[in-house]
Amino acid sequence: MAQLRRIKGFADLLPDDCRVYAHMEQTAREVFTRYGCQEIRVPILEKTELFARSIGDETDIVQKEMYTFADRKGKSLTLRPEATAGVLRAFIEENLDAQGDDAVKLYTCGPMFRYERPQKGRMRQFHQINVEAVGQAAPQLDAEMILMLTMFLRQLGLTALTLEINSLGCPGCRPAYQDALQDFFKGMHKERLCEDCLRRKLTNPLRVLDCKAPGCRELVAGAPVISDFLCPECRAHNDTVLSLLDRAGQDYMLNARLVRGLDYYVRTTFEVSSRDIGAQTAVAGGGRYDGLVKSLGGPDLPGIGFACGMERLALLLGAKQAKPVDFYLAVLDPRGLDPALLLAQTLRRNGLCGETALEVKSVKSHLRRANKLKARYCLLLGEREIETGNVEIKNMLDTTQQTIPFENILAVLTPEEF
RNA sequence: GUGGAUGUAGCUCAGUUGGCAGAGCACCUGGUUGUGGCCCAGGGGGUCGUGGGUUCAAGCCCCAUCAUUCACCCCA
């Protein structure tokens, strides 16, 4: 019989992995809370239309990467490929703007799904930590979100990262830039632009800027830059954001070719990347999406958000050690099994952390196990102890050892001691 | 969707011109009548991804297939 295996691009996160993921989530929670963010959890399954409308029909995500299927009544549903659409849907549906706040800041984390070929740092099911801030168009919010992201990453101990920033303009000024780009690419011969870009220059000329083909990069170097086309409002917005980052001591690089893959971004876009995790370098990315909430049927509110890829952060973080435990209870005589379990229960009721042996073994083998668990104390319960009503307590760190009456254990093993 | 690489013990991997299936780590036991880590000795574990083919003989050569992985693409 063939063994059942996990499906392609879906990973089991084992205990060693989960410690790292829990650490990321805990750090995010702690840092984001300082900024007034609150947690929200939304379904991972939504109507297909939600993603098609928000992410953009022309994007690769919608065209070929979504897990879409019909439910039992024929409704088209999709496993979320990103979090923003679902969070904003909830924001609208639950009237979260009715609180009278300047901006509603929400974070969430969980699995996302994209049907792509897996490779290093790219899974079909992957995990993101996501933040959305809705209700404010002020550039100060852009700066705050970027600073919050970098504080989070620094708190995780990650420093060898690059922050890149760009402005994509707004519906007012971007068309002029797109026209200029199209003009620029119009005369380009097939030998110079790659196949994809020949198509892109008509459908979404901004994407050509992001192409990694050597020929295209060469060409793009001479292409018009968005900053020359920004309207006065976008320019002022961008200047304020950059100035605030400067004054906050935040390093960054301007990247006029930074174009994000989702259609809804306007003005500020940003990306954090690493060279140390393979070909997929982006660890976090986001931008402003004024207009998106309205286009999803909500009030006309501006917003900005970002996502962090947890798999990619995990590649940078490395393994996290298992925590030591307080005790391990070794049983050397069958009559000790019941008392051991009850004793362990008492210790745990008092806040201690540890395990009890479930079968009788040699002292040596018990101590080896205690050592492996990194137990601070190994309690021994054998024939001698049972007959005298004592327990032998061995301190695993300094190897000292004492015999004490069963009922006095808590006097020795107090939580304060740890 | 396209291209490359790799599938041998729980893990990481050796395996020569085709000739009895190996190491390190991990695990278990012992070295101490009831004392861990270090050290020493011993031990358990493998349909060599799967199915065909060539051969006296295949882990090794050929074909197919599945899986994994890296990259393109795209993105977190």
Side-chain angles (χ1 to χ4, degrees):
Chain A
M1 186 178 70
Q3 198 193 131
L4 256 43
R5 300 178 47 84
R6 61 182 205 266
I7 59 183
K8 186 199 290 285
F10 287 64
D12 297 313
L13 296 178
L14 304 180
D16 284 352
D17 304 309
C18 288
R19 276 196 295 276
V20 178
Y21 278 65
H23 179 237
M24 285 189 265
E25 290 176 8
Q26 194 184 328
T27 304
R29 174 161 305 150
E30 183 195 320
V31 172
F32 296 169
T33 299
R34 295 181 206 166
Y35 288 80
C37 289
Q38 295 185 288
E39 185 173 8
I40 186 171
R41 303 191 194 197
V42 298
I44 61 173
L45 200 56
E46 298 272 3
K47 288 180 187 165
T48 302
E49 186 193 356
L50 173 67
F51 300 114
R53 267 169 62 186
S54 62
I55 299 169
D57 285 319
E58 300 304 315
T59 59
D60 281 13
I61 292 177
V62 170
Q63 288 206 328
K64 48 187 197 191
E65 294 176 1
M66 294 204 305
Y67 273 93
T68 295
F69 54 90
D71 73 3
R72 288 171 183 276
K73 288 193 173 168
K75 232 176 260 176
S76 181
L77 304 179
T78 294
L79 285 166
R80 64 182 183 188
E82 54 105 43
T84 301
V87 171
L88 294 186
R89 194 227 77 236
F91 175 89
I92 295 164
E93 189 169 342
E94 314 287 349
N95 295 313
L96 297 184
D97 61 319
Q99 315 297 319
D101 298 320
D102 271 4
V104 177
K105 300 173 193 168
L106 301 167
Y107 74 90
T108 192
C109 52
M112 310 292 158
F113 304 85
R114 290 184 202 172
Y115 193 91
E116 303 178 272
R117 284 288 279 273
Q119 69 182 76
K120 187 171 186 180
R122 188 173 74 186
M123 292 284 132
R124 288 183 174 181
Q125 176 178 334
F126 59 102
H127 298 78
Q128 286 186 342
I129 299 173
N130 236 262
V131 179
E132 315 297 342
V134 185
Q136 261 296 340
Q140 287 78 8
L141 180 61
D142 303 34
E144 187 179 61
M145 285 295 111
I146 292 168
L147 290 169
M148 183 174 88
L149 170 59
T150 58
M151 184 181 289
F152 165 58
L153 296 170
R154 206 170 308 120
Q155 184 87 15
L156 284 174
L158 304 177
T159 50
L161 299 172
T162 304
L163 169 65
E164 293 176 290
I165 302 202
N166 192 23
S167 173
L168 295 180
C170 64
C173 55
R174 197 192 302 176
Y177 175 59
Q178 281 175 315
D179 289 346
L181 265 186
Q182 262 168 351
D183 282 348
F184 176 78
F185 290 128
K186 193 173 287 176
M188 296 303 165
H189 299 299
K190 287 176 188 157
E191 307 88 60
R192 307 206 46 196
L193 275 180
C194 76
E195 224 173 280
D196 287 326
C197 287
L198 287 172
R199 177 175 46 80
R200 287 189 191 123
K201 73 177 185 181
L202 302 172
T203 58
N204 191 349
L206 285 173
R207 287 295 204 74
V208 180
L209 300 178
D210 207 28
C211 186
K212 280 146 200 143
C216 299
R217 298 199 80 135
E218 221 174 287
L219 273 183
V220 162
V225 290
I226 181 77
S227 51
D228 294 334
F229 290 80
L230 294 181
C231 61
E233 292 77 16
C234 283
R235 178 175 308 285
H237 186 97
N238 194 228
D239 287 347
T240 302
V241 173
L242 299 183
S243 162
L244 282 167
L245 294 181
D246 286 333
R247 283 186 276 166
Q250 175 63 53
D251 288 335
Y252 60 88
M253 290 174 60
L254 293 177
N255 180 358
R257 299 184 309 280
L258 178 63
V259 176
R260 320 233 59 261
L262 290 72
D263 282 356
Y264 51 62
Y265 286 123
V266 298
R267 289 192 170 165
T268 311
T269 59
F270 52 96
E271 185 168 302
V272 176
S273 58
S274 165
R275 289 179 305 166
D276 306 323
I277 53 174
Q280 305 301 322
T281 60
V283 301
R288 182 163 273 287
Y289 45 71
D290 303 346
L292 177 58
V293 176
K294 187 181 182 189
S295 81
L296 290 176
D300 188 5
L301 290 174
I304 179 170
F306 64 81
C308 293
M310 296 180 77
E311 277 73 7
R312 293 179 188 179
L313 289 179
L315 287 173
L316 290 166
L317 288 173
K320 196 167 166 60
Q321 296 291 313
K323 275 200 182 127
V325 302
D326 300 321
F327 69 88
Y328 175 76
L329 225 165
V331 181
L332 310 173
D333 184 293
R335 290 173 293 167
L337 286 169
D338 287 357
L341 186 96
L342 296 171
L343 175 56
Q345 180 69 359
T346 302
L347 295 175
R348 294 172 183 138
R349 201 181 288 129
N350 282 273
L352 296 175
C353 175
E355 286 190 79
T356 177
L358 296 172
E359 55 185 78
V360 173
K361 283 188 218 162
S362 71
V363 177
K364 174 179 244 179
S365 128
H366 277 310
L367 282 169
R368 278 181 175 162
R369 171 132 182 88
N371 193 51
K372 216 169 303 165
L373 290 171
K374 292 189 251 180
R376 280 179 262 234
Y377 286 92
C378 184
L379 314 193
L380 291 129
L381 200 51
E383 192 181 356
R384 285 202 311 244
E385 290 75 20
I386 291 166
E387 281 165 10
T388 56
N390 289 324
V391 157
E392 191 79 7
I393 298 190
K394 172 159 188 165
N395 182 323
M396 297 295 284
L397 301 177
D398 64 18
T399 76
T400 60
Q401 175 166 338
Q402 55 183 313
T403 308
I404 61 165
F406 208 89
E407 57 277 7
N408 289 0
I409 287 168
L410 280 170
V412 180
L413 292 183
T414 54
E416 292 73 42
E417 192 173 337
F418 297 97

